[in-house]
Amino acid sequence: MTETILVTGGAGYIGSHTTLALLEAGYDVVVLDNLCNSSNESLHRVAQLANKAALFVEGDIRDAALLDSLFAKHPISAVLHFAGLKAVGESVREPLRYYENNVAGTVTLCQAMARAGVYRLVFSSSATVYGEPTQMPIREDFPTGVPTNPYGRSKLMVEQLFADLAQSEPSWRIAALRYFNPVGAHHSGQIGEDPNGIPNNLLPYISQVAIGKLAQLAVFGNDYPTVDGTGVRDYIHVVDLADGHLKALQAMTSRSGLHIWNLGTGVGYSVLQMLKAFEQANGLTIPYRLVARRPGDIAECWADPAKAEEELGWRATRGLTDMMADTWRWQSANPQGYAVAAALNEPLSA
Ligand code: NAD
Ligand code: UFG
């Protein structure tokens, strides 16, 4: 029988790629998204690519009555929970909005799930919960650290909430996936990352310099104890990340309690290595300047992905060249992101 999955935040960057993977794998999908950081144009594109549409519901995870009606109307067997706010700097300025969306929103969602008797949940956590680990690569059994901002703390709080929930009620089957640095886009160039305003993250910034929207990249710090002094991260292709969600969703049919998996490649690259890789993959030159460190940044961070490989049978297969070429295919075909196409489209409705 076809399973129906509720995807919160499914119009967003990672949620749209995962919705596509779910549809391609034969699932039915209900997307709940309030579009506060996305456009449902992403879901029009997903429908074209999959030749099958997700049902889109514009609404908020904090709306308990709406959640109850969705669980009553659709035979939902599990929830992939992407909805949340993710801008670190904004979380420092507006902590209440972050705790309300990310923590209280998750509480409201879990309450509705429990009322509906749906206990299988896959959650978007982050490597930020490790704080500043002293050892690399990072394993899931390392102690969680002290995230440096409200966004990071909201992710850690949700993980702690899940641990308590799983302890209190054995029906819960929860996967918390700790993403490292998601980048790239679907190979078609039809869906990708479409940040609002000036991007905070490295790859969207580089690709907006490449398209001529921004003048040059500022490299934040070249005095870290790393290969070339610039920060090192574990960049993971968003399509690999989407596949990891399907594997976790399947794994949670036969497991109970809270399970935590790193989703990373196991390899770290510096900012300058990323810049060079983007230039080489796409035959472009990206102007940059070296500036001071960004407050709150850590020197390096990469995953030990062995647990996900052993327990989920998942590993990242797409390398740096794919990440760079796919990012640029998306950006160059959609210089304004989804904005122009979205203005021409009729709204999708439930
Ligand atoms: P995104 O902003 O593109 O997607 C999040 C989606 O959730 C958006 O479509 C937004 O409109 C929606 N949303 C936000 N609050 C909502 C609410 N209250 N009700 C309904 N919908 C709501 O971000 P993304 O990069 O796709 O991230 C998805 C998840 O993964 C987030 O929880 C994020 O914190 C987490 N994560 C992202 C990264 C990253 O670098 N992109 C890293 C680690 C973890
Ligand atoms: N960087 C620059 N210039 C930029 C942007 C970034 O030099 O314009 C550097 C950063 O200093 C860092 C690296 O590029 O060394 C990656 O930075 P990102 O902002 O792309 O990613 P972060 O690792 O800092 O942050 C990501 C997510 C956060 C999450 C954090 C920890 O965006 O949401 O990982 O998991 F909290």
Side-chain angles (χ1 to χ4, degrees):
M1 205 190 84
T2 309
E3 268 195 75
T4 302
I5 310 298
L6 174 64
V7 180
T8 75
Y13 172 45
I14 303 166
S16 58
H17 287 80
T18 308
T19 295
L20 174 58
L22 286 167
L23 292 170
E24 285 175 339
Y27 291 95
D28 286 338
V29 179
V30 177
V31 166
L32 174 65
D33 198 305
N34 67 4
L35 303 181
C36 70
N37 196 39
S38 55
S39 156
N40 64 8
E41 171 62 17
S42 62
L43 296 174
H44 285 292
R45 308 264 181 106
V46 164
Q48 282 163 8
L49 290 166
N51 220 0
K52 177 182 168 188
L55 179 79
F56 173 62
V57 179
E58 184 172 344
D60 202 293
I61 56 163
R62 293 165 293 175
D63 183 343
L66 174 61
L67 289 170
D68 286 343
S69 78
L70 289 182
F71 284 112
K73 239 195 248 171
H74 306 286
I76 293 164
S77 57
V79 179
L80 297 194
H81 178 32
F82 297 95
L85 304 177
K86 62 165 184 175
V88 170
E90 191 180 67
S91 79
V92 175
R93 294 189 298 276
E94 299 178 65
L96 291 179
R97 199 155 77 83
Y98 273 69
Y99 290 120
E100 196 198 356
N101 269 276
N102 296 3
V103 183
T106 301
V107 171
T108 303
L109 175 67
C110 290
Q111 287 169 330
M113 289 177 69
R115 280 194 296 276
V118 176
Y119 290 103
R120 189 157 47 115
L121 175 63
V122 178
F123 173 65
S124 303
S125 190
S126 166
T128 194
V129 302
Y130 292 113
E132 194 158 6
T134 48
Q135 217 187 312
M136 294 293 149
I138 302 172
R139 286 199 320 265
E140 291 85 346
D141 60 0
F142 283 17
T144 52
V146 184
T148 53
N149 55 74
Y151 165 74
R153 283 191 278 278
S154 76
K155 291 289 171 191
L156 187 54
M157 281 180 192
V158 171
E159 283 201 8
Q160 290 165 339
L161 180 164
F162 287 155
D164 292 338
L165 197 55
Q167 195 71 43
S168 72
E169 166 55 72
S171 302
W172 282 100
R173 305 152 173 264
I174 306 175
L177 304 180
R178 292 177 177 164
Y179 310 161
F180 281 66
N181 287 58
V183 296
H186 188 259
H187 185 69
S188 63
Q190 289 293 302
I191 56 171
E193 188 168 10
D194 183 18
N196 270 334
I198 297 176
N200 295 307
N201 296 118
L202 180 64
L203 245 284
Y205 204 104
I206 291 177
S207 59
Q208 292 201 8
V209 172
I211 202 83
K213 271 190 173 178
L214 298 167
Q216 59 177 358
L217 173 74
V219 174
F220 298 140
N222 68 337
D223 57 351
Y224 287 107
T226 61
V227 55
D228 57 18
T230 65
V232 168
R233 298 290 184 276
D234 183 338
Y235 296 92
I236 173 165
H237 196 294
V238 66
V239 176
D240 281 330
L241 198 63
D243 290 345
H245 287 75
L246 267 65
K247 289 279 167 53
L249 182 66
Q250 286 150 11
M252 294 317 293
T253 54
S254 56
R255 288 166 190 269
S256 58
L258 170 63
H259 295 263
I260 291 175
W261 287 289
N262 284 342
L263 294 185
T265 66
V267 183
Y269 291 103
S270 75
V271 176
L272 293 178
Q273 287 170 336
M274 292 295 283
L275 192 70
K276 287 280 155 287
F278 186 90
E279 291 182 332
Q280 272 166 16
N282 299 311
L284 296 162
T285 301
I286 305 297
Y288 71 93
R289 66 185 200 286
L290 300 168
V291 303
R293 293 181 179 193
R294 181 171 65 178
D297 272 359
I298 58 176
E300 54 183 17
C301 172
W302 68 91
D304 182 337
K307 185 169 183 260
E309 177 152 15
E310 276 158 31
E311 296 181 356
L312 301 179
W314 172 88
R315 65 199 288 262
T317 59
R318 292 162 182 83
L320 215 48
T321 307
D322 290 325
M323 298 180 204
M324 300 308 180
D326 292 341
T327 299
W328 182 234
R329 193 174 303 107
W330 152 252
Q331 179 73 73
S332 52
N334 302 274
Q336 306 304 327
Y338 293 116
V340 177
L344 301 173
N345 258 316
E346 292 296 310
L348 281 174
S349 57

